[in-house]
Structure formats: structure tokens, C-alpha cells
Amino acid sequence: DLLWAPSADEVYPPGFATTVSVMGLSDGLCGAVRPGHFDGVATVVAKLFNQVRPDIAFFGEKDWQQLTVIRRMARDLDLTFPAAEAILGVATVRENDGLAMSSRNRYLSPENRTRAAALPREMHAAIARLRAGEAPAPTMAGLAAALVAAGFDSVDYAEWVDEDSLQPLQAPGQGNGRLLVAARIAGTRLIDNMIV
């Protein structure tokens, strides 16, 4: 096995002044709350691909927006090592109660960790409503309200989007739908997504 672990100076040499920006896909959802975040992600991943030249790359699906940004960047910049088709999503691993595994979960008290299980539960309920034909706007509003009622402090977003363009969907059959949610509980921001 080999590990490529360059120092910060190797990745960002003195005078480093170049960034990669993926317009559109980086703007909404997490990008709206964390401006510039995906520019940093795209830049460091482009550098990684150029340094390592992998045949295949794996990224977790839990951060669906990040995976979409990286695929778009590889396609747009002709990064053939790996090609966009060789950037594979790895299914989200979940705790027994359905909460997506994340290093952020450890910041939750036992009580708030129990409350956090409402996130996947309420997402499944919203997906069932969408599949039954309920309009997206009231479904997303209901999802956000249910999360706050379950103990979340706030919901950054709850959106049903096309999984490739990340554009909101208005009706079934418009695209490959995915429900994306970011919500805060006790100062910890949790993200999740599920296929609709």
C-alpha cells in the first residue's frame, strides 16, 4: 500500500495564487452557507488528481454536492486521471438508527444524539409524501418544521433536487431526484441526502 501525504507547503507553495471554481453547482445548498468552500475543495482535489494521477477515485455520497462538484470539475477540465466516470460515489454508512455516520456526531450529547435520529426518519417521511404526489414546497416546509419540532435548532436547507444539476425539482419524472438536507442541532451542522 502507498500513502501520498504531502506537507501543506508542498500542496500550497509560497506565492500560491490559483483556485478552481465550479460555477453553479457550488452556489446553492452548502455553498450558500459556506461561500468559497467548494472553491477550496475543487482546487485541492484538482491538485491531488494531478499529483497522484489515480485511475479511479472514491468519494462518499453523504456530501452529495461535493461529489457533484468534483465530477463536474473533472469533466470540464478534462482530468482524464481519473475521468469523471471513474469518480465513484460510496454509499453513506449509517448508524443503527439511520443517522449518517460522521465525525460531527461525536460533538452531540447523548440527548442530542438521540434527537438527531429524527433527521433520517423525517427524510424518509418526506420522500414518501413526494412519491405519493405531494407538492415539493409544502413537503420541504413540513420536513423543516418536523426537524425543528424534533429538537433541531434550525434547518439550513431541505431541497428535492436533480442529482446531477442540483436544481430544484417541481414534479416527479423531471430528473433523478435526491433529497438534500442540512440542519443544526446544539451547534453541530449535520448533512444528509437520500434518493427519492
Side-chain angles (χ1 to χ4, degrees), residues 56-73:
I56 194 166
F58 299 91
F59 289 84
E61 290 184 352
K62 184 169 78 70
D63 193 334
W64 188 263
Q65 185 175 16
Q66 175 177 277
L67 175 59
T68 304
V69 165
I70 291 168
R71 284 176 171 160
R72 178 84 261 165
M73 175 198 68

Side-chain angles (χ1 to χ4, degrees), residues 2-83:
L2 296 175
L3 173 65
W4 172 243
S7 68
D9 287 340
E10 288 176 288
V11 177
Y12 302 106
F16 184 84
T18 304
T19 60
V20 176
S21 182
V22 180
M23 307 304 287
L25 294 176
S26 297
D27 299 337
L29 304 167
C30 286
V33 179
R34 304 171 69 190
H37 169 70
F38 289 112
D39 292 353
V41 169
T43 300
V44 75
V45 172
K47 288 177 67 64
L48 176 68
F49 286 173
N50 284 327
Q51 292 168 351
V52 177
R53 312 291 273 172
D55 295 313
I56 194 166
F58 299 91
F59 289 84
E61 290 184 352
K62 184 169 78 70
D63 193 334
W64 188 263
Q65 185 175 16
Q66 175 177 277
L67 175 59
T68 304
V69 165
I70 291 168
R71 284 176 171 160
R72 178 84 261 165
M73 175 198 68
R75 189 170 294 114
D76 289 353
L77 298 182
D78 299 321
L79 295 177
T80 56
F81 295 96

Side-chain angles (χ1 to χ4, degrees), residues 15-16 21 23 31-33 39 42 53 76-77 82 90 92 99-100 118 121-122 131 134 147 149 152 157 174 186:
F16 184 84
S21 182
M23 307 304 287
V33 179
D39 292 353
R53 312 291 273 172
D76 289 353
L77 298 182
V90 178
T92 301
L99 186 67
R121 184 176 65 243
E122 295 301 336
R131 288 180 177 163
E134 185 174 320
L147 291 173
F152 279 80
Y157 60 79
Q174 287 184 319

